[in-house]
Amino acid sequence: MVNIFSITNQHSFTASLHRDSFLFCFPMEDWGSGNVTATVGESGQCICHVYLPDTTFPADRVGNAEVSSNKLAADVELHINKVLSVELKNLTGRVEVLESGPDKYIKLEFELLRIELREFEALVTQLKTSLNSSSPAFDSLYIEIRNMSLIVDQLESYDKSNLEVIRIEFAKLQKKLEKCQDRQENFSNAEIGSCKHGGILRVGKPVVSQLNANLASNYNYGGWGKDSKPLPGFEQMYWYYAYSDRQLRRIHVYADYYSLIMRQTMKTYELYINTAKDWQGTGNNYIVHGNTFYYQYRNPFSMAKYNMTTQTAVYRVVPKASNRFSYHYSPDQNLDFAADETGLWVTYATEESRGKLVLGKIDEESFALAEVWETTIFKQSVTNAFMICGILYATRSVDTHTEEIFYAYDTHTGKENYVSLPFEKFQSFYVNLDYNPTDQKLYMYNNGYYVSYNVKFKSA
């Protein structure tokens, strides 16, 4: 009787037979390239070793192939769903915003959408090629992309719905109005960099550039503007940073205004790299001056400067400065940096001044306070401040749409004056307001939006 006692793999087995039994072996030709060997065991039984060649049906391989195929199909479906639900949904939503009305976009947004549609089409093509798939889902994606491109082209062609045209016409009307006002008022056409004027006459209407470069409506804390003392070749450079909290982690710079609006970053400078450096700041009253970023250092509480040329930072503790007295709109606005035609400044408050605003002139070379003035206004009642030609101007809120320059302190004479120079806010909340002497404009970061103002001066 044949006794099969073990199977070593799917192609071979071993059998034992009693010596007096019939040796059970298939003829060699029945096995193709297989073979059979026989030995005699210790107990005298015959042991037959049979090896089967790899000619049987590979069921295990078919099973593995089926598993791989199912996994690949699931991966394809996952990628397509991701593209449909995230990328295409985002683009579709933005096109719908354009369709909803002319107050929702600017001209540059059309070109940006075209670029992103082309990038999206390239992504779909890359995915299709890498997966070697001819799924109908890809054809559907291509059709949707073409339809969206047509919609963008049609929207831009409608002059009556083109906000850029409206803005151009509005700007012309605004200039006519300003010329009419100028004829009625005694104002100065002071040259850029000149202080031969009698101070601020009025602040123009807000010029809203667009939502921040991150397109994040909750990035309420931040700032933007131009270098107030640019290096040669960088006169058109802009800077920006914002986030949903008041911590300062990096600074982005842009080659010019077009690059800023198109979100084409020239360089990003990191103030924090894990285990490597921690130069983080806090608050929102920072500026760029001489290719150097001036800001409030987080720990210890101090003023700091980050040289974007050498990419190094240093900090100095401001004598007696307190971190208990912030501006009215937001906490952590304890050190406010400003630059004007005469140099670099910082405002703060001290315990000795009992929260009244203190102004310090910064010596740029030593990075220390060269001179200090104490005012009579309580810092926490002030919404922001800036400098023009050595005169400190402080603002306060009138209502949700109106801000007012209400106070001026002249460092040349030591005299202060209460004034009333109202100007319009695009939105009620803002955290950064600074004057730039290179173009005589105010730059405001207004609840996530880039806003600027032209400044008119009185005759000397």
Side-chain angles (χ1 to χ4, degrees):
M1 180 178 72
V2 178
N3 176 27
I4 299 175
F5 64 87
S6 68
I7 299 175
T8 58
N9 56 46
Q10 65 184 28
H11 303 304
S12 63
F13 65 86
T14 303
S16 66
L17 301 89
H18 292 291
R19 184 182 310 195
D20 58 349
S21 67
F22 173 71
L23 181 61
F24 185 79
C25 290
F26 291 100
M28 288 295 292
E29 59 269 23
D30 290 343
W31 298 98
S33 60
N35 61 73
V36 179
T37 59
T39 59
V40 178
E42 294 180 357
S43 303
Q45 77 274 25
C46 292
I47 300 175
C48 183
H49 301 276
V50 180
Y51 171 74
L52 299 180
D54 193 13
T55 58
T56 57
F57 182 76
D60 61 327
R61 297 183 186 179
V62 173
N64 290 338
E66 186 176 5
V67 171
S68 298
S69 176
N70 290 336
K71 185 176 183 300
L72 180 61
D75 288 342
V76 170
E77 185 176 359
L78 179 64
H79 282 295
I80 291 175
N81 287 339
K82 183 179 179 181
V83 169
L84 284 170
S85 63
V86 180
E87 301 288 347
L88 189 58
K89 182 179 179 181
N90 178 46
L91 289 172
T92 303
R94 293 179 63 194
V95 172
E96 288 174 352
V97 169
L98 293 183
E99 291 181 288
S100 66
D103 59 333
K104 302 296 183 181
Y105 61 88
I106 62 174
K107 183 180 179 180
L108 291 173
E109 191 70 14
F110 288 116
E111 185 58 31
L112 184 60
L113 268 174
R114 288 194 185 94
I115 292 171
E116 293 186 0
L117 283 168
R118 288 196 294 269
E119 291 175 351
F120 182 74
E121 186 174 10
L123 173 65
V124 173
T125 301
Q126 182 183 2
L127 183 60
K128 181 179 179 181
T129 303
S130 64
L131 296 175
N132 194 22
S133 173
S134 59
S135 170
F138 289 112
D139 296 330
S140 175
L141 286 174
Y142 285 127
I143 292 172
E144 288 197 55
I145 291 170
R146 283 194 293 271
N147 289 340
M148 289 171 68
S149 298
L150 289 173
I151 291 172
V152 171
D153 291 339
Q154 289 171 356
L155 284 170
E156 191 175 25
S157 68
Y158 297 152
D159 282 349
K160 64 181 181 180
S161 298
N162 192 328
L163 184 60
E164 185 65 17
V165 173
I166 296 172
R167 284 184 171 174
I168 290 172
E169 294 302 318
F170 178 77
K172 290 178 181 178
L173 291 173
Q174 189 169 338
K175 285 183 178 180
K176 289 180 181 179
L177 177 62
E178 288 181 355
K179 286 181 179 179
C180 181
Q181 287 179 311
D182 293 341
R183 285 194 290 267
Q184 304 298 322
E185 297 171 337
N186 184 20
F187 79 100
S188 167
N189 280 323
E191 294 183 0
I192 298 295
S194 171
C195 290
K196 293 180 179 180
H197 56 72
I200 299 177
L201 173 66
R202 67 170 183 272
V203 177
K205 294 287 186 180
V207 178
V208 183
S209 295
Q210 72 168 25
L211 188 63
N212 59 74
N214 296 97
L215 297 179
S217 59
N218 65 328
Y219 277 26
N220 299 322
Y221 302 97
W224 79 293
K226 296 180 70 177
D227 191 328
S228 52
K229 192 176 73 173
L231 299 182
F234 293 90
E235 291 83 359
Q236 303 304 315
M237 186 185 80
Y238 282 78
W239 61 269
Y240 153 77
Y241 175 74
Y243 201 61
S244 56
D245 61 32
R246 297 179 297 278
Q247 193 139 315
L248 175 63
R249 301 168 177 85
R250 61 187 62 88
I251 177 74
H252 309 286
V253 295
Y254 304 82
D256 49 33
Y257 183 74
Y258 179 84
S259 300
L260 172 77
I261 298 302
M262 293 298 289
R263 307 199 296 279
Q264 298 170 350
T265 310
M266 182 170 70
K267 191 172 179 63
T268 296
Y269 297 95
E270 297 289 345
L271 299 177
Y272 174 79
I273 297 178
N274 189 26
T275 72
K277 62 183 180 184
D278 188 354
W279 297 329
Q280 293 180 93
T282 187
N284 311 278
N285 298 107
Y286 30 76
I287 62 169
V288 173
H289 182 75
N291 207 45
T292 300
F293 186 54
Y294 291 88
Y295 63 101
Q296 179 178 304
Y297 205 62
R298 187 182 64 163
N299 188 24
F301 170 62
S302 54
M303 63 179 185
K305 65 175 182 177
Y306 176 84
N307 188 314
M308 293 191 289
T309 303
T310 62
Q311 298 186 35
T312 55
V314 296
Y315 67 87
R316 297 282 189 275
V317 174
V318 180
K320 301 180 181 180
S322 172
N323 60 2
R324 290 202 312 118
F325 305 100
S326 182
Y327 283 146
H328 176 72
Y329 278 136
S330 173
D332 295 324
Q333 294 183 289
N334 303 299
L335 300 179
D336 181 7
F337 294 89
D340 66 359
E341 292 82 356
T342 66
L344 186 65
W345 307 80
V346 61
T347 61
Y348 56 99
T350 67
E351 298 293 339
E352 288 183 359
S353 71
R354 297 184 179 180
K356 291 177 182 178
L357 192 144
V358 176
L359 172 64
K361 181 72 178 290
I362 299 174
D363 181 282
E364 295 181 43
E365 187 174 345
S366 64
F367 193 41
L369 298 188
E371 198 169 356
V372 173
W373 296 263
E374 185 176 316
T375 73
T376 61
I377 56 171
F378 190 56
K379 187 171 184 289
Q380 289 181 312
S381 68
V382 175
T383 53
N384 227 291
F386 57 89
M387 298 293 298
I388 298 180
C389 291
I391 299 176
L392 170 73
Y393 293 93
T395 63
R396 64 184 176 190
S397 176
V398 177
D399 54 44
T400 56
H401 301 294
T402 309
E403 197 78 358
E404 180 189 43
I405 299 171
F406 76 99
Y407 177 85
Y409 184 93
D410 191 334
T411 60
H412 305 292
T413 63
K415 293 181 179 180
E416 58 185 0
N417 186 29
Y418 284 88
V419 298
S420 180
L421 296 168
F423 62 96
E424 182 183 341
K425 287 183 289 190
F426 174 62
Q427 294 200 14
S428 60
F429 174 82
Y430 75 93
V431 292
N432 184 292
L433 179 68
D434 268 301
Y435 171 78
N436 194 301
T438 67
D439 55 12
Q440 296 178 337
K441 289 184 178 181
L442 288 174
Y443 288 87
M444 175 188 285
Y445 189 73
N446 192 183
N447 206 26
Y449 288 84
Y450 305 143
V451 180
S452 61
Y453 299 86
N454 290 313
V455 179
K456 288 285 186 181
F457 298 107
K458 301 174 186 176
S459 294

